[in-house]
Amino acid sequence: MSQALLQSLRNICGQSHVLTEGDLQAWEMDWRKRTRGKALAVVRPGSTGEVARVVRACVAARVSLVPQGGNTGLVVGSTPDDSGQQVVLSLQRLRAVRAIDPANLTLTAEAGCVLQSLQEAALKAGFLFPLSLAAEGSCTIGGNLATNAGGTQVLRYGNARDLCLGLEVVTASGEVWEGLTGLRKDNTGYDLRDLYIGSEGTLGIITAATLKLYPLPAARLTAWAAVGSMDAAVALLGLAQQHLGANLTGFEVMGQFALGLVARHFGQLKVPLYDSAAFCVLLECSDQESEAHARAQFERLLEAAMACGCVSDAVVAESLAQARQLWHVRESIPLAQAEEGLNIKHDISVPVSRIPEFVRQTDALLEKEIPGVRLVNFGHLGDGNLHYNVQAPAGGDAAAFLRAHEEQVNTLVYDAVQRFDGSISAEHGVGSLKVGKLEIHKSPVALSLMRTLKSALDPHNLMNPGRVLRA
Ligand code: FAD
Ligand code: ZN
């Protein structure tokens, strides 16, 4: 049976695009290198029509499919299980920008388009596509939409869902839904687009999307501020919103220990102001007028923040290169954490107003229950989203720590998130890592509705089975 399917897949995509031998690690191993599966084959169709034919062939053979974009997801959602029976459907070859409509401020691109090339295509046409995350050199727009990715500009422009107007999808039965509308208003029944966005490949395969473009700002300015506490960081956010309004496009918080890891492991990077402050904040302002206007706004904001005592010291980047360096420090935190050793990651959100109390209580709880734990806290404070991570005690055996405490740490953190009316996955999705936790923390009614949708749209359970919902 497998041989017959493989032959059909070769007939559809061509011999060289059905990989069964050689080193398939790039498709079989997750980005964090925590899990390696075994694929029946990696298939790389070259068009939407080929994707549809691949799906129909797999459905006929009752073989399940794992859609994959850049394989940068952090919840083990885009790699096969270890059965050797799943087909990885890579969208890598679908990477054309199909159209740009300047008057409608839209761009239509195929799912495998790498986010950075999409940003560049928008820029070349004189526009901004604002979705931005540290994985942008490898992740694809299809993967961004399938996970409803967030990133560093959500505060102003929203997450991937907010940036998408239309989709083209190959359904679980292998039909093509042509929903590539560029409409900003369309109330004609259930919103199928929003159903597929964030479904992590469990309902169908996104093959193209029509996305929103924005005018390029005249200037972008970055500042770095030292704050004494998370309360002060939230107070600064309020002030920044008052002073900058919609010009505030980024607001990231970084704990002292997190920045200390960057300083320790990437000595060539200059990490400003961190040794004297509990937290640092990275602010970005985008201005439609001029750099001088942006700078004046920033200066007034920082004066007000120092006057009220929520900021102790601050620097405003003098050049684009300096701004990039500041962002580079922020983006290096996950890598510095990896250098420091194995760790436990959480991607949580709670209402911004409750973040300081959440951090206070949860820090205290973890430190009491597991003496010596080191808390790596950073994230998109403007969105109420923290990467609230836990590093093993210094000098110990990190692998043994994870074996002994990972489950306990997760339970402590996610129970706290629930007490604070938050979410256990703010931007990375559920994948296979958080399926069990979702069952605990999502309401039974919501889970039941999700299962109803899954079985209606994917009756044979062949679309990324076991991800988001238990198989
Ligand atoms: P993949 O990893 O290939 O897939 C992710 C999921 O989507 C899987 O379930 C897969 O089956 C499904 N999928 C992929 N393509 C399709 C498709 N065309 N149709 C249907 N399903 C599909 N995420 C954030 O939200 N914000 C961040 O700030 C952020 N920062 C990151 C930084 C780093 C260094 C790394 C490594 C990751 C980061 N991520 C972040 C997570 C990840 O980059 C995003 O989730 C990204 O959107 C995944 O895109 P991808 O193309 O790599 O998808
Ligand atoms: Zn993030």
Side-chain angles (χ1 to χ4, degrees):
M1 185 60 189
S2 298
Q3 287 312 316
L5 173 64
L6 290 175
Q7 194 48 51
S8 317
L9 297 176
R10 287 186 191 109
N11 294 343
I12 296 165
C13 302
Q15 182 90 16
S16 61
H17 296 302
V18 180
L19 315 177
T20 53
E21 280 158 22
D23 186 4
L24 301 183
Q25 173 169 321
W27 295 272
E28 291 180 335
M29 173 94 89
D30 81 293
W31 190 85
R32 288 174 68 199
K33 299 197 167 37
R34 290 193 95 178
T35 312
R36 177 159 187 181
K38 172 90 190 86
L40 173 65
V42 175
V43 182
R44 299 185 297 184
S47 66
T48 301
E50 286 185 13
V51 174
R53 289 172 66 200
V54 166
V55 171
R56 290 200 293 272
C58 289
V59 171
R62 295 291 186 269
V63 164
S64 59
L65 286 144
V66 181
Q68 190 180 94
N71 197 16
T72 67
L74 299 174
V75 287
V76 193
S78 51
T79 47
D81 64 20
D82 56 9
S83 65
Q85 296 301 313
Q86 295 192 304
V87 166
V88 172
L89 194 158
S90 166
L91 280 300
Q92 278 168 332
R93 288 179 63 224
L94 268 72
R95 49 171 179 245
V97 172
R98 289 191 191 162
I100 293 182
D101 182 342
N104 197 43
L105 284 175
T106 51
L107 177 153
T108 299
E110 292 181 345
C113 211
V114 169
L115 176 56
Q116 193 174 334
S117 11
L118 211 147
Q119 295 163 346
E120 285 163 6
L123 188 63
K124 208 166 144 210
F127 296 101
L128 170 74
F129 180 63
L131 188 67
S132 177
L133 42 133
E136 64 199 21
S138 318
C139 65
T140 62
I141 190 65
N144 300 147
L145 289 164
T147 57
N148 186 25
T152 53
Q153 306 276 303
V154 174
L155 184 60
R156 165 69 176 86
Y157 300 100
N159 45 32
R161 182 187 304 284
D162 300 301
L163 296 169
C164 178
L165 294 171
L167 285 183
E168 178 186 87
V169 170
V170 171
T171 69
S173 60
E175 290 173 301
V176 180
W177 170 49
E178 289 173 4
L180 282 177
T181 148
L183 303 176
R184 283 170 172 80
K185 288 190 162 182
D186 177 16
N187 285 345
T188 51
Y190 305 141
D191 198 326
L192 301 173
R193 172 197 61 196
D194 273 350
L195 203 53
Y196 285 105
I197 295 175
S199 67
E200 299 183 45
T202 62
L203 300 179
I205 292 158
I206 296 169
T207 49
T210 298
L211 305 156
K212 288 184 196 167
L213 296 177
Y214 289 83
L216 279 172
R220 262 185 182 183
L221 221 56
T222 304
W224 182 283
V227 298
S229 64
M230 196 57 102
D231 299 86
V234 171
L236 176 61
L237 173 63
L239 270 183
Q241 280 162 335
Q242 268 173 31
H243 278 255
L244 305 174
N247 282 1
L248 179 65
T249 44
F251 195 96
E252 302 283 310
V253 73
M254 298 152 288
Q256 188 176 50
F257 180 67
L259 290 172
L261 289 183
V262 176
R264 181 182 312 161
H265 294 288
F266 303 113
Q268 75 283 12
L269 289 180
K270 190 175 168 303
V271 185
L273 307 180
Y274 80 100
D275 37 9
S276 59
F279 292 93
C280 287
V281 170
L282 186 57
L283 300 100
E284 191 186 80
C285 151
S286 303
D287 198 289
Q288 291 304 343
E289 265 187 60
S290 65
E291 182 169 331
H293 183 256
R295 208 168 274 283
Q297 273 200 321
F298 244 161
E299 276 162 14
R300 276 197 295 276
L301 162 67
L302 292 172
E303 266 169 35
M306 291 213 196
C308 77
C310 62
V311 165
S312 54
D313 202 355
V315 287
V316 179
E318 289 300 329
S319 63
L320 201 59
Q322 207 189 344
R324 283 212 188 97
Q325 276 171 19
L326 295 174
W327 277 104
H328 191 42
V329 171
R330 157 65 183 89
E331 283 163 2
S332 300
I333 296 174
L335 303 171
Q337 255 201 282
E339 289 292 315
E340 182 72 9
L342 289 173
N343 56 76
I344 307 171
K345 288 193 195 299
H346 306 106
D347 160 39
I348 58 103
S349 59
V350 300
V352 172
S353 52
R354 305 184 69 187
I355 287 227
E357 192 54 28
F358 168 83
V359 171
R360 238 186 321 273
Q361 284 188 18
T362 316
D363 281 5
L365 193 63
L366 286 167
E367 280 159 0
K368 177 171 149 260
E369 296 293 326
I370 311 167
V373 281
R374 297 177 298 161
L375 303 170
V376 183
N377 190 357
F378 64 99
H380 319 288
L381 182 61
D383 316 322
N385 174 196
L386 293 181
H387 297 309
Y388 187 83
N389 299 340
V390 174
Q391 202 91 31
D397 176 347
F401 173 81
L402 255 66
R403 279 195 300 279
H405 294 292
E406 184 162 16
E407 190 49 36
Q408 182 192 8
V409 168
N410 288 340
T411 303
L412 287 171
V413 172
Y414 292 144
D415 285 353
V417 166
Q418 183 145 356
R419 285 197 299 281
F420 280 81
D421 302 320
S423 166
I424 62 161
S425 183
E427 55 175 12
H428 297 157
V430 179
S432 41
L433 275 191
K434 295 186 188 163
V435 171
K437 295 294 175 200
L438 195 75
E439 288 170 353
I440 299 170
H441 296 283
K442 195 111 183 152
S443 88
V445 176
L447 282 170
S448 161
L449 287 169
M450 284 167 68
R451 289 195 187 104
T452 305
L453 287 169
K454 170 73 175 169
S455 56
L457 294 183
D458 179 22
H460 302 297
N461 193 24
L462 297 175
M463 290 285 145
N464 219 357
R467 270 66 198 260
V468 183
L469 296 169
R470 203 175 288 277

